[in-house]
Amino acid sequence: MSVNQQAHTGPPYGQPQPAYQRYQQPGYGGQQMPGVPHSQYGVYNGPMPGYQQPAPPQGPLRTPPTSGAPPPTSGALLPVGQPAYNQFGQGDVQNGIPASAVQMPSVSQPFIPGSTPTSISQLSSFQQYGPSPTGAQQLTNHMAGMTIGSVPTSAAPPAGVGYGPSTSVPPASGSFTATGSGLYTPYSSSQGPRPASMTHGLPPTSLSQGVPLAQPAFSGPPLSMQRLPSQGAPRPSTMQSPPLSGQALAGLPASQPNHLASPPPPQQAMSGPHPGPPMTGLQGPPPPSTHPSQPGYQIQQNGSFGQVRGPQPNYGGAYPGTSNYGSQPGPPPPPKRLDPDSIPSPIQVIEDDRNNRGSEPFVTGVRGQVPPLVTTNFLVKDQGNASPRYIRCTSYNIPCTSDMAKQSQVPLAAVIKPLAMLPTEETPPYLVDHGESGPIRCNRCKAYMCPFMQFIEGGRRFQCCFCSCVTEVPPHYFQHLDHTGKRVDFYDRPELSLGSYEFLATVDYCKNNKFPDPPAFIFMIDVSYNAVKSGLVRLICEELKSLLDYLPRGGNLEESAIRVGFVTYNKVLHFYNVKSSLAQPQMMVVSDVADMFVPLLDGFLVNVNESRAVITSLLDQIPEMFADTRETEMVFAPVIQAGLDALKAAECAGKLFIFHTSLPIAEAPGKLKNRDDKKLINTDKEKTLFQPQTNFYSNLAKDCVAQGCCVDLFLFPNQYLDVATLGVVTYQTGGSIYKYSYFQLETDQERFLNDLRRDVQKEVGFDAVMRVRTSTGIRATDFFGAFYMSNTTDVELAGLDCDKTITVEFKHDDKLSEDSGALLQCALLYTSSAGQRRLRIHNLSLNCCTQLADLYRNCETDTLINYLAKYAYRGVLNNPVKTVRDALINQCAQILACYRKNCASPSSAGQLILPECMKLLPVYLNCVLKSDVLQPGPEVSTDDRAYIRQLVTSMDVAETNVFFYPRLLPLTKVDVDNDALPAAIRNSEERLSKGDMYLLENGLNIFVWVGVNVQQGLIQNLFGVSSFSQISNTMSTLPILENPFSKKVRSIMDMLQAQRSRYMKLIIVKQEDKFEMLFKHFLVEDKSMSGGASYVDFLCHMHKEIRQLLS
């Protein structure tokens, strides 16, 4: 199921598949096909027995946006010799060229990664065959060269190839709107219309509706949608094998449809070298040497990756030129590329989902519903399943057997955010208090009472929905059942009617059987030369004076119960007694850092309101005390040790806020050396850059977790700091890291203070334990996130805040049944900021399926990418980065190949077919592969990579979505009178215009890109300067100007900032200035400077991988 298992390779694509004979897939209806003359493909002969009137589609489907194309009148005849549209089964996105397109000898050309974005009409060797046809828009021609059956070199071109202009065909219902002259651009190097843009998002998206190779046209009404064979009908086999060289293609029709260029003339007639196919490297079956019988990685359970394959295009390694697969091609063809408008667009998918699902509330009463996308604003009504704000799954319909899961390779995972903040219009979880007896639980598996428990025997006992054990209902909890078997108090009890709720925990759920004290916050400030000189120490002290009024309260308390303490440090530690009875704070110095102890108990942790005068006095004095320091050497581990000891002495949990500037090189436990080495990149030792350089911090983290001591780290480095090592304690205690490289007051102050305020104020659960229970048949096997685990089931978190997620992977340990489905229950035991011990419960029910089509119809690509990124980012700790990248590509190729083989309608192998829910998998996967962790450019520091690796590991789905595929908004298109955001555009440089301004956000930064030709009035309105040259790119905030454009842009930024868990740094980028390279790094559909493929190239590469798996 995950990459950890042996890849399943079924019989080659198109051969009879005994295992899938009884497989039926719902589709959209159509008429019987009239008889078709004999062709090379047996399946297309005569009336097709398996294509009767379809059943309605099952499962929640994303509804189609209405297409602008009028449906064809029923019974309309196609002109003879015209291709009929080949419709595909439910949920197929068909991209790729039908095999009737350009036929090539099976010479594999080298992949040309550097193909420049020239137009699609540039292959000089092809002639232009009349104007391109109009009609439903088709992607097929753009993947020219992706055909599998190559024309033999000795075969003559088929007779009757139409050279005249083709008449247009009425578009099939539910297909794309016909615009302009269609998508078939003539192959000419001179002229030819630009392909029309493509709309996406129709449920049975069939991006290519051309006729497969050698399928003759037929007259009669166009099919409205093909169905897969019905129950019991054998699956048709297509593509028996490509013709051997010298063997003519059987059954080429007399009137070959001419909606694409005919095959090139035979080799003998050609002078000079053969012009290679436009999308090189994608045609012809690979020779046996490149395709082992078991493709894919045999990956061991511990996540180490097995067999390594050859280099991927644009992913390191000498791909161009080296792998010609034993053939000597001629000179490379002129670069030619797919039209980016014709491949699946993230913007279109996001927009369609907003339009279709943004207006209605998402009601969670039904099992296995796929929620709207994270990019859609929607309201949730909890009616028995947890809100998608708390749990999102990679699939809401999971395979009944482990064999099916292994075959599909779709990982089954849930991304859980137990303490997520809800919008104000939604009700936070109710708190249920069962008194001294505590929550009702199953006797055997200890699952908590939830809506799926079954009451029996008149309500006296209940049967557990997780393990089927029957448990007595305690007398105080008894209630009668109504005629449907539900308790009559069903709606009065949150735990019986809602998916998420909280229980008040009893003393049995507390450490040492005593209720906890409220937690404490300790602020630990680096007072070395760097910190003082940069103004950081003064800034922190000033901010804390006011920030301490905003500590989290929890419940309806008048004031916060949290106590605070203060430490400053360089190579020794200074503790402060701020007891309310003192006139002035007292400082105590501990210089023996090897044997850390806290020199005072009374007066170190205090109530803010009681000690306010002393605290204010201390915060005023600290910057003065250290103003003349010359100390540059630092310690780090003893600082954490001191905070931990203070919490132990006070017998409470808590959080350390550590503000730190440099590598701890002073003699002390946890001392580090500078081991930064860029030369290790792309070697087997690269993984050491992500590993801590000593075990000391892991052991320290273990002690912190045991005490409930969470560490938040604010880093201000001017050089290498070893985030991979310093971050270990933060990571394992569930804390957060914030990094401000080359901190400068004027540019970074705003961001740092906003981050600090939010970090101090946000709701946190302390001393937490989380367990995920599942119904029989699956179990939680793997966990990703910022936490510690001492056994295989309990996730231990010294602290867990409202932004952190824990990702859980599930594996089968038995069969599941379609009737009962599968259940998850996430239980989090934690101490609130008021010191109350609570249990938060989230329940979710999923469907189970015996047909792969149901799995593929209910997947969530954003969650899948979130899981795959975390899996890969953990993989780099123990494997070469290239191995991790190859494994990701391979797993996704297997997911898509399995769909192609088992769910899609038969069609030419030259077509790339993607499931509707996963049509963005290639573009998003490419963004993960090109990210700084997996493919750094020369400007990315080792610390940045370690930092991002940690950040992503606890991100939720909305954060990874915008992090990997940033949001790009055209500012010049804003409507100042309307609250709506301007429509986003795709992340590619060719979408930018010199006369416009754009805003790009990725959750960490906001860029404002200003084109050189922007109108002066707009520059004046936004920046308050009169010309492009006067715009300063050191601004950290936009000036507050009294005009509608300035107000609107600033309100958009405020809105974006409010959606993100960190304050995004504003970077002004003027076209053609030094920051533009950084900005272009986030235009993720383009080729990256570090060698990452463009979206178009990667899609072609994925197609090739899929075809290798299928051949």
Side-chain angles (χ1 to χ4, degrees), residues 332-670:
K336 168 149 192 252
R337 60 187 291 232
L338 273 163
D339 172 24
D341 284 330
S342 62
I343 52 184
S345 156
I347 305 302
Q348 189 64 51
V349 171
I350 287 168
E351 200 47 46
D352 291 342
D353 193 75
R354 276 191 189 134
N355 295 337
N356 296 327
R357 306 196 65 182
S359 49
E360 293 293 305
F362 178 68
V363 181
T364 71
V366 182
R367 181 174 86 189
Q369 278 185 107
V370 182
L373 297 180
V374 283
T375 42
T376 299
N377 275 330
F378 59 98
L379 267 181
V380 179
K381 289 196 170 162
D382 185 342
Q383 290 192 358
N385 282 293
S387 158
R389 302 189 207 288
Y390 295 124
I391 306 183
R392 274 189 178 263
C393 295
T394 52
S395 179
Y396 288 79
N397 201 331
I398 61 180
C400 283
T401 64
S402 61
D403 288 349
M404 196 170 149
K406 279 178 190 150
Q407 184 184 350
S408 75
Q409 285 287 313
V410 175
L412 304 180
V415 180
I416 306 175
K417 195 175 180 184
L419 297 178
M421 296 297 290
L422 299 183
T424 45
E425 346 25 314
E426 291 176 22
T427 320
Y430 289 99
L431 181 61
V432 179
D433 183 358
H434 281 313
E436 287 182 15
S437 59
I440 312 295
R441 302 176 70 175
C442 165
N443 269 346
R444 182 199 289 156
C445 71
K446 299 291 183 246
Y448 294 86
M449 178 53 66
C450 72
F452 312 120
M453 297 288 190
Q454 193 67 46
F455 286 89
I456 52 176
E457 296 176 23
R460 284 189 292 279
R461 307 168 85 185
F462 68 90
Q463 183 164 26
C464 177
C465 51
F466 294 94
C467 70
S468 304
C469 173
V470 174
T471 301
E472 293 282 336
V473 173
H476 70 88
Y477 196 70
F478 173 77
Q479 188 53 272
H480 294 286
L481 309 184
D482 66 10
H483 64 285
T484 64
K486 264 186 186 167
R487 284 171 55 121
V488 295
D489 62 353
F490 175 80
Y491 290 108
D492 304 331
R493 291 194 177 271
E495 74 273 21
L496 299 182
S497 54
L498 298 176
S500 301
Y501 42 87
E502 292 200 313
F503 289 120
L504 205 53
T506 58
V507 75
D508 308 334
Y509 292 86
C510 304
K511 263 186 196 159
N512 308 328
N513 275 16
K514 75 187 236 334
F515 283 113
D517 285 328
F521 284 0
I522 304 177
F523 297 92
M524 315 185 92
I525 305 168
D526 166 346
V527 287
S528 63
Y529 174 72
N530 277 343
V532 174
K533 188 187 67 171
S534 66
L536 180 62
V537 173
R538 187 174 297 280
L539 182 68
I540 293 169
C541 292
E542 279 304 311
E543 180 59 30
L544 285 179
K545 284 188 219 169
S546 54
L547 187 53
L548 294 177
D549 289 334
Y550 297 98
L551 299 176
R553 291 192 189 156
N556 307 317
L557 300 179
E558 287 291 307
E559 62 175 57
S560 175
I562 292 173
R563 290 168 298 164
V564 297
F566 301 89
V567 172
T568 55
Y569 67 95
N570 36 47
K571 66 177 185 187
V572 297
L573 274 73
H574 323 108
F575 293 80
Y576 297 93
N577 183 346
V578 283
K579 198 172 173 180
S580 55
S581 55
L582 296 173
Q584 282 294 320
Q586 295 171 347
M587 173 162 120
M588 302 189 179
V589 181
V590 175
S591 50
D592 182 5
V593 286
D595 184 17
M596 202 63 233
F597 69 100
V598 180
L600 73 165
L601 288 179
D602 192 27
F604 178 64
L605 293 178
V606 297
N607 175 295
V608 174
N609 286 343
E610 289 170 11
S611 297
R612 178 167 308 280
V614 194
I615 290 173
T616 305
S617 169
L618 170 68
L619 294 172
D620 284 335
Q621 288 176 39
I622 288 175
E624 309 309 325
M625 266 191 292
F626 299 100
D628 302 324
T629 183
R630 286 278 167 271
E631 189 54 76
T632 53
E633 287 200 349
M634 302 294 303
V635 298
F636 183 70
V639 181
I640 297 176
Q641 188 68 55
L644 171 62
D645 290 349
L647 293 176
K648 269 186 186 160
E651 295 186 354
C652 68
K655 186 182 265 200
L656 312 182
F657 296 84
I658 303 181
F659 304 91
H660 188 80
T661 59
S662 50
L663 193 69
I665 53 171
E667 274 309 324

Side-chain angles (χ1 to χ4, degrees), residues 864-989:
L864 187 57
I865 288 292
N866 179 286
Y867 165 83
L868 290 171
K870 290 171 181 177
Y871 183 82
Y873 281 16
R874 185 177 67 185
V876 297
L877 287 172
N878 303 308
N879 305 279
V881 173
K882 184 181 178 316
T883 312
V884 175
R885 279 204 309 259
D886 290 350
L888 269 185
I889 293 174
N890 186 265
Q891 181 168 10
C892 289
Q894 294 206 20
I895 290 172
L896 297 175
C898 174
Y899 174 80
R900 171 68 190 255
K901 180 171 154 186
N902 301 296
C903 307
S905 303
S907 64
S908 143
Q911 288 164 330
L912 171 61
I913 304 181
L914 304 169
E916 176 57 22
C917 299
M918 287 191 186
K919 64 183 177 191
L920 298 181
L921 187 61
V923 62
Y924 286 164
L925 176 71
N926 191 34
C927 296
V928 174
L929 293 168
K930 292 201 290 190
S931 63
D932 290 339
V933 173
L934 296 182
Q935 191 157 37
E939 74 294 340
V940 182
S941 71
T942 306
D943 273 346
D944 282 333
R945 295 177 76 195
Y947 173 60
I948 286 171
R949 197 189 77 77
Q950 288 207 12
L951 278 190
V952 168
T953 307
S954 35
M955 275 186 185
D956 71 8
V957 180
E959 288 172 317
T960 51
N961 175 275
V962 78
F963 179 77
F964 289 116
Y965 193 93
R967 175 149 58 165
L968 183 59
L969 304 173
L971 290 181
T972 25
K973 304 274 191 299
V974 296
D975 178 355
V976 290
D977 306 318
N978 188 336
D979 285 347
L981 287 174
I985 58 173
R986 292 172 66 171
N987 287 331
S988 172
E989 194 176 352

Side-chain angles (χ1 to χ4, degrees), residues 226-303:
Q226 256 185 29
R227 264 190 87 208
L228 282 187
S230 58
Q231 203 79 15
R235 270 186 72 80
S237 65
T238 50
M239 293 308 277
Q240 295 308 333
S241 62
L244 300 171
S245 162
Q247 163 198 339
L249 289 177
L252 269 169
S255 59
Q256 162 134 348
N258 65 340
H259 64 273
L260 245 166
S262 72
Q267 199 99 40
Q268 298 93 314
M270 284 181 108
S271 55
H274 173 62
M279 269 302 158
T280 46
L282 288 179
Q283 69 293 349
S289 62
T290 64
H291 184 69
S293 58
Q294 266 304 70
Y297 288 85
Q298 183 151 0
I299 291 170
Q300 290 78 33
Q301 233 5 72
N302 60 7

